[in-house]
Amino acid sequence: MKSVLVIGLGRFGRHMSQKLIEEGNEVFAIERDEEIADSSIDIVSNIQIGDARNEMFIKSIGVRNFDICVIAIGDNFQTTLEITVLLKDLGANFIIARASRDVHKKLLLRNGADYVVYAERDIAEKLAVKFGAKNIFDYIELNEEYGIYEIAVPNSWRGKSIIEKSIRNKYNISILATKKNGKLHPMIDPNHVFSNDESLMVMGRHSDIKQLTK
């Protein structure tokens, strides 16, 4: 379990808080709008009303006590930057900030953020990959070069084994698991024969996987 400070209870902040709590974490939220705070009490029970730009207020919260601080404000970059700098100065352990532009991301990272998320863009890109590619069902981007994908079994692999197809050497990818009837099965047997009714969880370069799934 981790303790997480969430600043801002707009849609992004509420959804993130809810998921964090569902995963067994402890969430403390800050929201300056009393009406928004009241409407979020059924999601987050620990809410403090106040302005996170106020140094005395933030000091009273004790940001060092949280494993993660999430700045979930998305419509005002200046505010996000001010809070990021303040949290860093007060010794926050790990800061996640939200941005909408690349230049904002660079400035946030230079001024104390440890991780920057593009909420709308990340979702849009993931949906574009998921629904725009014929044989890709889902994916997780690890960085700009690598990712983990759920893909359909290529036609030329069906009825063949991992060792027969020399997957790692020929395609530059690693098979992490198969997925069948909604259940994941870790891949440990190189003699596993690919079938039509399963999908594959693979890791590799984006370019290599997309070439494979064409």
Side-chain angles (χ1 to χ4, degrees), residues 16 45 62 65 69 75 92 104 114 120 128 137 153 159 171 177 184 191 198-199:
M16 189 161 191
S45 58
N65 298 323
C69 294
D75 57 353
H104 292 172
D114 297 287
E120 289 80 7
F137 305 133
V153 177
Y171 300 97
L184 283 176
N191 294 308
E198 65 184 354
S199 58

Side-chain angles (χ1 to χ4, degrees), residues 148-209:
I148 297 174
Y149 288 72
E150 180 185 354
I151 66 171
V153 177
N155 290 331
S156 63
W157 293 15
R158 294 172 183 175
K160 305 290 185 179
S161 68
I162 294 175
I163 198 167
E164 281 182 276
K165 295 301 296 183
S166 188
I167 304 298
R168 187 187 295 271
N169 294 330
K170 188 174 180 180
Y171 300 97
N172 297 316
I173 65 171
S174 298
I175 298 178
L176 306 178
T178 61
K179 188 174 181 181
K180 191 171 183 178
N181 298 324
K183 294 183 179 180
L184 283 176
H185 304 277
M187 291 299 303
I188 55 174
D189 185 0
N191 294 308
H192 174 82
V193 175
F194 299 114
S195 62
N196 298 339
D197 59 348
E198 65 184 354
S199 58
L200 307 176
M201 305 299 296
V202 300
M203 180 174 68
R205 289 187 177 89
H206 301 301
S207 56
D208 290 333
I209 295 173

Side-chain angles (χ1 to χ4, degrees), residues 7-8 32 50-54 58 71-87 97-98 104 108:
I7 300 173
R32 64 179 181 177
D51 190 341
R53 294 172 298 181
N54 185 303
I58 289 297
I71 306 170
I73 301 166
D75 57 353
N76 190 321
F77 171 70
Q78 183 63 36
T79 298
T80 298
L81 183 60
E82 288 179 22
I83 295 172
T84 300
V85 172
L86 180 56
L87 291 177
R98 188 180 174 199
H104 292 172
L108 288 167

